[in-house]
Amino acid sequence: MQHNPTATAIAAATLTLFLLTTPTTANNITKILEKYPQFSIFNHYLTVTHLAADINSRQTITVCVVEDKDMSDLLSKNLPINTIQNILSLHVLLDYYGAKKLHEITNGTALAATLYQATGSAPGASGFVNITDFKAGKVGFSAVDSPTTDAFFVKSVDEIPYNLSVIQISQILQSAEASAPTPSPAEMNLTSLMSKQGCKVFADTLSNSSDALKAFEDNIEGGLSVFCPADDVFKQFLPKFKNLTADEQTSLLCYHGIPVYQSMSMLKSNNGVMNTLATDGANKFDFVVQNDGQDITLQTKIVTAKITGTLVDEDPLVVYTVDKVLLPKELFKAEAPTPAPAPAPAAAPPKKSKSGKGKGNYASPPQPESPDSQPSDQVADQKGDAGFNGGRFVAAVALSLWLGLLSP
């Protein structure tokens, strides 16, 4: 059997396309650090603060880790978990800095944005870190609100070029803003928070429903994600809301919360069915979380809403804005599709002429010839052409097979 270079080229191209389009495995910072027991405490707090999930969802990122013995100063302050989250998020740089790049910084200094800045929790520009390439091979790190260089580069721990870099620094970065005490989510006034950021109509409605409000407030400490329709959206829905019974109103409001903390990155990596605060045994009151490109959608059987913003993200509480009111199938029915218009009645056939004498026995006038109508002889010719063309096709196939048998 002879080698066919064309077939080989096609097969190679197909294999190349398959390899290029096969998705790569996402990085897992937890598993990477598990190989290094000296970073076990740092790794533990990345998980507890849910920063690990956020790190895993990103590309082109650098994590500045600290050994267990250098974590004691931070832990001795007994800071609340959301403050520790702010401090550690300052150690996640939103750019790739491997060992080589750190020693080749243009003009000897760089300003790197961090996850603390990206979350919106950092006041002003306090979520940036200065990186300075000093003499004798030293590279220093400091928060922008720190007057001194806080820590120095120790070594590269793990590098996946231009995607993920894990480097060790000598100590925790000092930042007055990141370390500032913040109220715990349980101490926040949920409805007041929503009212100040474009969700006043929903918040006021929730305040007027004692059962629904209690369900939200009781779940904050253990974990709560709220999906709040924007003011103009919920205002348009109010007439329908007022037609519901009191129990149905409570269920609809509770349908906009899930009893677990889900950051944006966690929602993206945990698509699927989500139970809500309204879920009760046989009454499912659930919806489906689904990625739609860079967006996240919430799909009920009635509507598909899109997350449009984040009002607050302080573990264990996160509040999102959505562009539609979430309508559960347990309370609403899907609108029936608009029926297609009925076809026009067929035209009556022309009357045939009657034989016989006398006036009034006329045949109906001939119908005007449509553009598609053709004389019968022309149709016959076309049929003949079709048969001829079909015969030529069969002959061509036979000729090809015959030539194939003749070729060596």
Side-chain angles (χ1 to χ4, degrees):
M1 184 175 179
Q2 289 187 335
H3 176 69
N4 188 333
T6 303
T8 303
I10 293 173
T14 303
L15 178 59
T16 302
L17 179 62
F18 172 77
L19 293 174
L20 289 175
T21 56
T22 301
T24 57
T25 304
N27 299 311
N28 188 317
I29 188 62
T30 304
K31 290 188 177 298
I32 290 174
L33 292 180
E34 280 177 353
K35 298 182 291 184
Y36 306 95
Q38 65 270 36
F39 304 121
S40 61
I41 295 177
F42 192 96
N43 194 20
H44 167 73
Y45 278 98
L46 286 183
T47 301
V48 170
T49 58
H50 301 289
L51 289 174
D54 210 344
I55 292 169
N56 294 339
S57 70
R58 296 174 180 266
Q59 293 184 343
T60 315
I61 201 164
T62 300
V63 183
C64 304
V65 299
V66 174
E67 280 192 346
D68 292 351
K69 63 182 179 63
D70 299 312
M71 289 284 290
S72 57
D73 181 56
L74 173 64
L75 301 180
S76 65
K77 297 176 182 177
N78 296 318
L79 298 171
I81 194 64
N82 52 321
T83 301
I84 294 177
Q85 181 187 45
N86 287 342
I87 294 171
L88 293 188
S89 63
L90 194 65
H91 293 70
V92 182
L93 313 181
L94 303 183
D95 199 353
Y96 180 85
Y97 286 96
K100 185 174 183 293
K101 183 176 178 179
L102 287 173
H103 294 287
E104 296 177 350
I105 295 176
T106 305
N107 298 324
T109 184
L111 190 64
T114 70
L115 200 54
Y116 181 42
Q117 187 72 27
T119 59
S121 301
S126 59
F128 285 84
V129 167
N130 285 313
I131 306 174
T132 306
D133 187 12
F134 293 105
K135 292 180 179 180
K138 285 188 175 184
V139 178
F141 295 80
S142 62
V144 293
D145 62 346
S146 175
T148 60
T149 300
D150 304 324
F152 290 91
F153 172 72
V154 176
K155 65 180 180 182
S156 174
V157 177
D158 204 334
E159 293 186 20
I160 302 173
Y162 313 111
N163 188 358
L164 172 67
S165 174
V166 182
I167 61 175
Q168 180 187 349
I169 59 176
S170 58
Q171 66 177 33
I172 291 290
L173 299 177
Q174 304 299 313
S175 168
E177 294 290 355
S179 302
T182 56
S184 66
E187 297 172 346
M188 295 180 182
N189 186 315
L190 180 60
T191 54
S192 176
L193 177 69
M194 291 191 292
S195 295
K196 294 176 181 178
Q197 304 195 52
C199 285
K200 188 177 188 306
V201 180
F202 181 83
D204 289 347
T205 308
L206 182 60
S207 297
N208 293 329
S209 174
S210 57
D211 289 342
L213 181 60
K214 186 176 186 303
F216 278 81
E217 291 178 341
D218 287 350
N219 280 277
I220 291 178
E221 190 171 349
L224 177 66
S225 301
V226 182
F227 304 94
C228 180
D231 279 343
D232 56 341
V233 173
F234 203 77
K235 187 180 294 184
Q236 292 178 5
F237 176 74
L238 276 179
K240 290 183 179 180
F241 179 81
K242 292 176 180 178
N243 287 333
L244 300 174
T245 67
D247 287 344
E248 289 172 341
Q249 289 179 355
T250 299
S251 295
L252 183 126
L253 293 172
C254 288
Y255 191 60
H256 288 74
I258 58 177
V260 62
Y261 171 81
Q262 291 280 311
S263 68
M264 191 72 79
S265 60
M266 295 168 73
L267 287 173
K268 286 183 178 180
S269 59
N270 290 290
N271 284 184
V273 177
M274 292 280 181
N275 287 337
T276 68
L277 295 177
T279 302
D280 181 18
N283 296 321
K284 290 185 177 180
F285 281 97
D286 55 22
F287 54 72
V288 175
V289 177
Q290 186 65 50
N291 295 339
D292 182 12
Q294 294 300 314
D295 297 324
I296 298 177
T297 60
L298 311 177
Q299 302 173 0
T300 76
K301 297 292 184 181
I302 312 300
V303 298
T304 296
K306 181 173 69 175
I307 294 178
T308 55
T310 305
L311 299 186
V312 62
D313 185 357
E314 294 285 349
D315 183 19
L317 172 67
V318 59
V319 182
Y320 300 106
T321 53
V322 291
D323 64 350
K324 292 181 182 178
V325 177
L326 303 179
L327 304 179
K329 61 180 174 53
E330 289 80 2
L331 299 181
F332 298 90
K333 292 182 179 179
E335 294 183 1
T338 305
K351 293 181 180 180
K352 296 181 179 179
S353 62
K354 296 180 181 179
S355 59
K357 299 178 182 179
K359 294 181 181 180
N361 293 331
Y362 294 105
S364 299
Q367 295 294 320
E369 196 172 83
S370 68
D372 294 334
S373 60
Q374 296 175 336
S376 58
D377 57 345
Q378 184 175 342
V379 174
D381 288 345
Q382 286 182 346
K383 289 182 179 179
D385 288 343
F388 179 67
N389 287 337
R392 282 192 297 185
F393 173 75
V394 173
V397 171
L399 179 60
S400 299
L401 293 174
W402 180 68
L403 291 173
L405 292 173
L406 292 178
S407 60

